[in-house]
Amino acid sequence: MTEPSADVVGLAGLPGLGWDEAWAAAWSTTAPGSGLVPARIVGAHRGTWEVALGGVDAPLEARATGRLRHEAGPAELPVVGDWVAVDARPDEGAASVHVVLPRRTQLRRRAPADYGAPFQVLAANVDVVLVATSLNRDLNVRRVERFLTAAWESGARPVVVLTKVDLARDPVEVAIAEAQLEEVAAGVPVVATSAVSGAGLDAVRAFLAAGRTVVIIGSSGVGKSTLANALLGEERLLVREIREDDARGRHTTVGRQLVSLPGGEGLLLDTPGLRELALWDDGAGLDLAFSDVAVTAESCRFSDCRHASEPGCAVRAAVADGTLHADRFDGWQKLEREERHRALEMDAVARRAEQRRWAVIGKAGAARSKAKRGGFGH
Ligand code: GDP
Ligand code: ZN
């Protein structure tokens, strides 16, 4: 297998990383301090980050300054995609993050109870969100709607990608699916693609551009990884596969979650937790689908009322006096249970992946120190 090489993010320079005039303006108003340089977070671990600098080949391992750690709330610490002001020490391969520049967009999910902030930011400064859905399953329009809501909320521009159109027995199937999607997408472009025939890939590429950051989200199995690989080109490696390589000592790309697309077409942001809705669905979709329940729930005594046996529950009162139909409440409960269950499942999956990653990073770190001692470090 070939080593991922030429697409090392740092080679692209600041514009290739997404830096533009607006960022330069933000930089000057933030006035982060002398001696600091702009850098982009291309990988995040627990307590350390990988930052790419224009003109420096390999990302540097960064830590937050004590001051940033103390002053920033949990949702204000760097995440993948953030622009930060660092004090860089390229010769040591290290950097300190002093300031996180105000985010242009942020993909967030509702945070766990003990988090210390209502939302957890999973990725920052994403420009385009590709919402993938496949032809071969029952087209779950409501799910697409929820992904779209999350994309809109982030501030990024959504695009719906209908995958696997080669599976259609009849072109009419594709046309029907497209029409259904266009209806929920309300003005958002819908692109039909096939990784098998290559159809539609150029239409997807039309939404990519130099300096633009794109993510692909959607339910499991709809073809997100396949699409990512098609965009990256065959010899490029996705995070998942890169991690497997790490186990065999390819430490140069440990944890890279923001990679450049070939031909200067921008950057693909891919983190395991981001791909599936459940991890960062903040319930807005549920509220959209059951706005009658959501509106009633605003009158519950407790803001986190689950409408089970809490005192002062307006929803159960409304069901009891007939203002809210019981089947609406049942439908809401069923979906809410599903989401909760899925979110828990996804959290467990993410935790396991993180543990594996730490095992791998430990090994890679040992390999790196060994290489350095042997004089092969760079
Ligand atoms: P993910 O879970 O969303 O990342 O989905 P994957 O990319 O892993 O794809 C799930 C399955 O769908 C795999 O078996 C792929 O080979 C298959 N697949 C992906 N894209 C296409 C496509 O355009 N056409 C067909 N026929 N199969 C596809
Ligand atoms: Zn209630």
Side-chain angles (χ1 to χ4, degrees):
M1 208 183 281
T2 52
E3 190 83 27
S5 54
D7 61 336
V8 172
V9 179
L11 286 178
L14 279 182
L17 287 166
W19 185 260
D20 56 22
E21 280 176 21
W23 284 118
W27 178 268
S28 57
T29 49
T30 309
S34 63
L36 301 182
V37 294
R40 196 158 188 205
I41 306 285
V42 297
H45 312 294
R46 214 157 281 171
T48 67
W49 292 271
E50 283 173 62
V51 297
L53 279 71
V56 175
D57 291 358
L60 308 179
E61 187 176 326
R63 287 170 190 282
T65 60
R67 185 168 171 192
L68 178 62
R69 276 201 308 273
H70 278 102
E71 289 181 356
E76 291 148 13
L77 284 170
V79 296
V80 178
D82 263 327
W83 279 101
V84 292
V86 300
D87 154 22
R89 301 180 298 282
D91 43 324
E92 296 168 38
S96 307
V97 180
H98 288 244
V99 177
V100 179
L101 295 195
R103 291 165 181 146
R104 206 178 271 180
T105 71
Q106 47 185 353
L107 286 159
R108 359 173 268 179
R109 67 150 168 157
R110 185 174 290 183
D114 57 354
Y115 185 68
F119 291 101
Q120 181 174 14
V121 181
L122 295 180
N125 305 319
V126 168
D127 300 297
V128 178
V129 176
L130 301 176
V131 176
T133 185
S134 63
L135 185 72
N136 66 327
R137 352 181 107 210
D138 309 329
L139 200 59
N140 190 334
V141 174
R142 179 167 293 160
R143 181 144 285 164
V144 172
E145 208 165 32
R146 268 188 272 166
F147 280 105
L148 279 171
T149 306
W152 280 126
E153 280 176 354
S154 77
R157 179 183 181 188
V159 173
V160 175
V161 179
L162 175 64
T163 62
K164 311 191 191 183
V165 296
D166 55 282
L167 297 175
R169 280 147 303 188
D170 190 318
V172 168
E173 278 180 46
V174 179
I176 291 173
E178 281 183 293
Q180 283 178 307
L181 289 171
E182 267 156 15
E183 204 175 300
V184 297
V188 170
V190 177
V191 181
T193 65
S194 165
V196 173
S197 73
L201 291 178
D202 282 339
V204 173
R205 288 196 187 96
F207 294 100
L208 314 175
R212 218 175 260 176
T213 302
V214 61
V215 301
I216 308 172
I217 59 171
S219 307
S220 182
V222 296
K224 296 180 296 297
S225 313
T226 308
L227 178 61
N229 282 322
L231 296 176
L232 287 167
E234 271 171 273
E235 79 283 10
R236 316 289 171 123
L237 300 168
L238 261 190
V239 177
R240 239 194 304 219
E241 287 130 345
I242 288 170
R243 275 214 300 279
E244 283 159 14
D245 279 349
D246 289 340
R248 297 192 291 271
R250 276 174 209 229
H251 56 267
T252 50
T253 53
V254 168
R256 186 77 43 79
Q257 290 149 0
L258 184 64
V259 296
S260 51
L261 291 160
E265 278 179 333
L267 302 122
L268 177 71
L269 194 156
D270 183 54
T271 77
L274 236 183
R275 293 185 201 135
E276 320 247 330
L277 176 65
L279 260 183
W280 50 276
D281 180 15
D282 60 8
L286 191 65
D287 286 352
L288 268 186
F290 289 93
S291 54
D292 46 356
V293 179
V295 166
T296 311
E298 280 168 13
S299 308
C300 291
R301 184 180 306 165
F302 300 106
S303 63
D304 62 349
C305 185
R306 294 185 59 194
H307 324 309
S309 52
E310 294 88 345
C313 175
V315 171
R316 274 180 305 113
V319 172
D321 71 16
T323 17
L324 184 67
H325 280 290
D327 56 348
R328 291 292 295 164
F329 182 51
D330 287 346
W332 178 88
Q333 272 187 314
K334 187 163 168 283
L335 199 59
E336 199 265 349
R337 258 198 309 272
E338 250 173 46
E339 294 221 325
R340 194 172 292 270
H341 181 72
R342 241 177 88 81
L344 286 174
E345 234 171 30
M346 291 301 301
D347 280 344
V349 168
R351 257 198 314 277
R352 280 198 299 276
E354 187 72 7
Q355 281 160 3
R356 271 199 302 279
R357 185 156 76 180
W358 275 97
V360 165
I361 288 167
K363 272 184 218 158
R368 184 160 37 207
S369 324
K370 206 168 153 191
K372 271 203 183 131
R373 282 195 298 278
F376 296 110
H378 58 264

CSV table of all heavy atoms in Angstrom, one decimal, residues 132 163-167 193-197 218-227 240 275-276, ligand 1:
chain,number,residue,atom,x,y,z
A,132,ALA,N,-26.0,12.4,2.7
A,132,ALA,CA,-26.1,11.2,1.8
A,132,ALA,C,-27.3,10.4,2.2
A,132,ALA,O,-27.6,10.2,3.4
A,132,ALA,CB,-24.8,10.4,1.9
A,163,THR,N,-27.4,8.4,-3.3
A,163,THR,CA,-26.4,7.4,-3.8
A,163,THR,C,-27.0,6.2,-4.4
A,163,THR,O,-28.2,6.0,-4.3
A,163,THR,CB,-25.5,7.0,-2.6
A,163,THR,OG1,-26.3,6.4,-1.6
A,163,THR,CG2,-24.8,8.2,-1.9
A,164,LYS,N,-26.1,5.4,-5.0
A,164,LYS,CA,-26.5,4.0,-5.5
A,164,LYS,C,-27.6,4.0,-6.5
A,164,LYS,O,-28.4,3.1,-6.6
A,164,LYS,CB,-26.9,3.1,-4.3
A,164,LYS,CG,-25.9,3.1,-3.1
A,164,LYS,CD,-26.2,2.0,-2.1
A,164,LYS,CE,-25.4,2.2,-0.8
A,164,LYS,NZ,-25.6,1.1,0.1
A,165,VAL,N,-27.6,5.0,-7.4
A,165,VAL,CA,-28.7,5.0,-8.4
A,165,VAL,C,-28.5,3.9,-9.4
A,165,VAL,O,-29.4,3.6,-10.1
A,165,VAL,CB,-28.8,6.4,-9.1
A,165,VAL,CG1,-29.2,7.5,-8.1
A,165,VAL,CG2,-27.5,6.8,-9.8
A,166,ASP,N,-27.3,3.3,-9.4
A,166,ASP,CA,-27.1,2.1,-10.3
A,166,ASP,C,-28.0,1.0,-9.9
A,166,ASP,O,-28.3,0.1,-10.7
A,166,ASP,CB,-25.7,1.7,-10.3
A,166,ASP,CG,-25.2,1.4,-8.9
A,166,ASP,OD1,-24.9,2.3,-8.1
A,166,ASP,OD2,-25.1,0.2,-8.5
A,167,LEU,N,-28.6,1.0,-8.7
A,167,LEU,CA,-29.4,-0.1,-8.2
A,167,LEU,C,-30.9,0.0,-8.7
A,167,LEU,O,-31.7,-0.9,-8.5
A,167,LEU,CB,-29.4,-0.2,-6.7
A,167,LEU,CG,-28.1,-0.5,-6.1
A,167,LEU,CD1,-28.2,-0.4,-4.5
A,167,LEU,CD2,-27.6,-1.9,-6.5
A,193,THR,N,-26.1,10.1,-7.6
A,193,THR,CA,-24.8,9.6,-7.9
A,193,THR,C,-24.8,8.0,-7.8
A,193,THR,O,-25.6,7.4,-7.3
A,193,THR,CB,-23.8,10.0,-6.8
A,193,THR,OG1,-24.2,9.4,-5.5
A,193,THR,CG2,-23.7,11.5,-6.7
A,194,SER,N,-23.7,7.5,-8.5
A,194,SER,CA,-23.4,6.1,-8.3
A,194,SER,C,-21.9,6.0,-8.3
A,194,SER,O,-21.2,6.4,-9.2
A,194,SER,CB,-23.9,5.3,-9.5
A,194,SER,OG,-23.3,4.0,-9.5
A,195,ALA,N,-21.4,5.3,-7.2
A,195,ALA,CA,-20.0,5.1,-7.1
A,195,ALA,C,-19.6,4.0,-8.1
A,195,ALA,O,-18.4,3.9,-8.5
A,195,ALA,CB,-19.6,4.7,-5.7
A,196,VAL,N,-20.6,3.2,-8.5
A,196,VAL,CA,-20.3,2.1,-9.4
A,196,VAL,C,-20.1,2.6,-10.8
A,196,VAL,O,-19.1,2.3,-11.5
A,196,VAL,CB,-21.4,1.0,-9.4
A,196,VAL,CG1,-21.2,0.0,-10.5
A,196,VAL,CG2,-21.5,0.4,-8.0
A,197,SER,N,-21.0,3.4,-11.3
A,197,SER,CA,-20.8,3.9,-12.7
A,197,SER,C,-20.1,5.3,-12.7
A,197,SER,O,-19.6,5.7,-13.8
A,197,SER,CB,-22.2,4.1,-13.3
A,197,SER,OG,-22.8,5.3,-12.7
A,218,GLY,N,-24.9,11.1,7.1
A,218,GLY,CA,-26.0,10.3,6.6
A,218,GLY,C,-26.0,9.0,7.4
A,218,GLY,O,-25.0,8.7,8.1
A,219,SER,N,-27.1,8.2,7.3
A,219,SER,CA,-27.2,7.0,8.1
A,219,SER,C,-26.2,6.0,7.6
A,219,SER,O,-25.6,6.1,6.6
A,219,SER,CB,-28.6,6.4,7.8
A,219,SER,OG,-29.6,7.3,8.1
A,220,SER,N,-25.9,5.0,8.5
A,220,SER,CA,-25.0,4.0,8.2
A,220,SER,C,-25.3,3.2,7.0
A,220,SER,O,-26.5,2.9,6.8
A,220,SER,CB,-24.9,3.0,9.4
A,220,SER,OG,-24.0,2.1,9.2
A,221,GLY,N,-24.4,2.9,6.1
A,221,GLY,CA,-24.6,2.1,5.0
A,221,GLY,C,-25.1,2.8,3.7
A,221,GLY,O,-25.3,2.1,2.7
A,222,VAL,N,-25.3,4.1,3.8
A,222,VAL,CA,-25.8,4.8,2.6
A,222,VAL,C,-24.7,5.1,1.6
A,222,VAL,O,-25.0,5.5,0.5
A,222,VAL,CB,-26.5,6.1,3.0
A,222,VAL,CG1,-27.7,5.8,3.8
A,222,VAL,CG2,-25.6,7.1,3.6
A,223,GLY,N,-23.4,4.8,2.0
A,223,GLY,CA,-22.3,5.0,1.0
A,223,GLY,C,-21.5,6.2,1.2
A,223,GLY,O,-20.8,6.7,0.3
A,224,LYS,N,-21.4,6.7,2.5
A,224,LYS,CA,-20.6,7.8,2.8
A,224,LYS,C,-19.1,7.6,2.6
A,224,LYS,O,-18.4,8.4,1.9
A,224,LYS,CB,-20.8,8.3,4.2
A,224,LYS,CG,-22.2,8.7,4.6
A,224,LYS,CD,-22.3,9.1,6.0
A,224,LYS,CE,-22.1,8.0,7.0
A,224,LYS,NZ,-23.1,6.9,6.9
A,225,SER,N,-18.6,6.4,3.1
A,225,SER,CA,-17.1,6.2,2.9
A,225,SER,C,-16.8,6.0,1.5
A,225,SER,O,-15.8,6.4,1.0
A,225,SER,CB,-16.8,4.9,3.7
A,225,SER,OG,-17.3,4.9,5.0
A,226,THR,N,-17.7,5.3,0.7
A,226,THR,CA,-17.5,5.1,-0.7
A,226,THR,C,-17.4,6.4,-1.4
A,226,THR,O,-16.5,6.6,-2.3
A,226,THR,CB,-18.6,4.2,-1.3
A,226,THR,OG1,-18.7,3.0,-0.4
A,226,THR,CG2,-18.3,3.8,-2.7
A,227,LEU,N,-18.3,7.3,-1.1
A,227,LEU,CA,-18.3,8.6,-1.7
A,227,LEU,C,-17.1,9.4,-1.4
A,227,LEU,O,-16.4,10.0,-2.3
A,227,LEU,CB,-19.6,9.4,-1.3
A,227,LEU,CG,-19.7,10.8,-1.9
A,227,LEU,CD1,-19.8,10.8,-3.4
A,227,LEU,CD2,-21.0,11.5,-1.2
A,240,ARG,N,-10.5,6.1,8.8
A,240,ARG,CA,-10.7,4.7,9.3
A,240,ARG,C,-9.5,3.8,8.9
A,240,ARG,O,-9.0,3.1,9.7
A,240,ARG,CB,-12.0,4.2,8.7
A,240,ARG,CG,-13.0,3.7,9.8
A,240,ARG,CD,-14.1,2.9,9.2
A,240,ARG,NE,-14.8,3.6,8.2
A,240,ARG,CZ,-16.1,3.5,8.0
A,240,ARG,NH1,-16.8,2.8,8.8
A,240,ARG,NH2,-16.7,4.1,7.0
A,275,ARG,N,-20.3,11.4,11.4
A,275,ARG,CA,-21.0,10.8,10.2
A,275,ARG,C,-22.5,10.6,10.4
A,275,ARG,O,-23.3,10.8,9.5
A,275,ARG,CB,-20.3,9.5,9.7
A,275,ARG,CG,-18.9,9.8,9.2
A,275,ARG,CD,-18.4,8.5,8.7
A,275,ARG,NE,-16.9,8.5,8.7
A,275,ARG,CZ,-16.1,7.6,9.1
A,275,ARG,NH1,-16.6,6.5,9.6
A,275,ARG,NH2,-14.8,7.7,9.1
A,276,GLU,N,-22.8,10.1,11.6
A,276,GLU,CA,-24.2,9.7,11.8
A,276,GLU,C,-25.0,10.7,12.6
A,276,GLU,O,-24.5,11.2,13.6
A,276,GLU,CB,-24.2,8.3,12.5
A,276,GLU,CG,-23.1,7.4,12.0
A,276,GLU,CD,-23.7,6.2,11.2
A,276,GLU,OE1,-24.8,5.8,11.6
A,276,GLU,OE2,-23.0,5.7,10.3
B,1,GDP,P1,-21.3,4.2,4.9
B,1,GDP,O1,-21.6,3.3,6.1
B,1,GDP,O2,-22.3,5.3,4.7
B,1,GDP,O3,-19.9,4.8,4.9
B,1,GDP,O4,-21.5,3.3,3.6
B,1,GDP,P2,-20.3,2.5,2.7
B,1,GDP,O5,-19.6,3.5,1.9
B,1,GDP,O6,-19.5,1.7,3.7
B,1,GDP,O7,-21.2,1.7,1.8
B,1,GDP,C1,-22.1,0.7,2.2
B,1,GDP,C2,-22.3,-0.3,1.1
B,1,GDP,O8,-22.9,0.2,0.0
B,1,GDP,C3,-21.0,-0.9,0.7
B,1,GDP,O9,-21.2,-2.3,0.5
B,1,GDP,C4,-20.7,-0.2,-0.6
B,1,GDP,O10,-19.9,-1.0,-1.5
B,1,GDP,C5,-22.1,0.0,-1.2
B,1,GDP,N1,-22.2,1.2,-2.1
B,1,GDP,C6,-21.7,2.4,-1.8
B,1,GDP,N2,-21.9,3.2,-2.9
B,1,GDP,C7,-22.6,2.5,-3.8
B,1,GDP,C8,-23.1,2.7,-5.1
B,1,GDP,O11,-23.0,3.9,-5.7
B,1,GDP,N3,-23.7,1.7,-5.8
B,1,GDP,C9,-23.8,0.5,-5.2
B,1,GDP,N4,-24.4,-0.5,-5.9
B,1,GDP,N5,-23.4,0.2,-4.0
B,1,GDP,C10,-22.7,1.2,-3.3
